[in-house]
Amino acid sequence: QVQLVESGGGLVQARGSLRLSCVASGRTFSNYAMGWFRRAPGKEREFVAAFNWSGTSAYYADSVKGRFTISRDNAKNTVYLQMNSLKPEDTAVYYCAAVRFGSFGSTPTTADFRFWGQGTQVTVSS
């Protein structure tokens, strides 16, 4: 129902910034909750940030709160993750995720999302 294509990953120094983009196919982008997850080497995929489907609520993992900002542009079918004050521990493959009419009563989890992008590598050097 939706295809997600991520971009914007790369190599950045600690305290630097990156902006990830996720472009969703289809014309029902506004009906989808969107989220970002990441998986570091040898670790489980973990939640980073998300919007509920209406865009009225944003959720952040404690590890990124105050540093990362999720946003969306419905006209462009795109969700962004602005990452500031990056740390080496932010190094991971970052995944965009979507679920139709998703709403969250607590911190979103991987099980809350149905569609996933291929991931984009973010490497933060110390």
Side-chain angles (χ1 to χ4, degrees), residues 10-18 38 40 46 61-68 83-92 94 121-126:
L11 176 65
V12 65
Q13 293 182 338
R15 302 190 66 183
S17 298
L18 282 175
R38 67 187 182 186
E46 66 176 355
D62 289 342
S63 60
V64 306
K65 191 173 298 183
R67 300 188 298 119
F68 291 10
M83 304 185 293
N84 299 326
S85 301
L86 283 162
K87 306 174 181 179
E89 50 262 45
D90 295 319
T91 295
Y94 283 72
Q121 176 70 47
V122 172
T123 302
V124 184
S125 62
S126 60

Side-chain angles (χ1 to χ4, degrees), residues 6 35-39 45 93-97 116-119:
E6 299 139 324
W36 289 96
F37 293 76
R38 67 187 182 186
R39 183 170 61 194
R45 186 176 300 184
V93 177
Y94 283 72
Y95 298 88
C96 179
W116 296 84
Q118 80 288 347

Side-chain angles (χ1 to χ4, degrees), residues 23-84:
V23 179
S25 65
R27 298 180 294 174
T28 59
F29 178 76
S30 62
N31 294 336
Y32 286 82
M34 304 296 298
W36 289 96
F37 293 76
R38 67 187 182 186
R39 183 170 61 194
K43 295 186 177 181
E44 299 285 335
R45 186 176 300 184
E46 66 176 355
F47 168 74
V48 176
F51 265 127
N52 65 349
W53 75 271
S54 63
T56 58
S57 297
Y59 306 84
Y60 295 95
D62 289 342
S63 60
V64 306
K65 191 173 298 183
R67 300 188 298 119
F68 291 10
T69 303
I70 188 171
S71 62
R72 65 192 297 164
D73 186 336
N74 288 344
K76 297 181 178 180
N77 284 6
T78 301
V79 63
Y80 304 95
L81 184 68
Q82 178 66 47
M83 304 185 293
N84 299 326

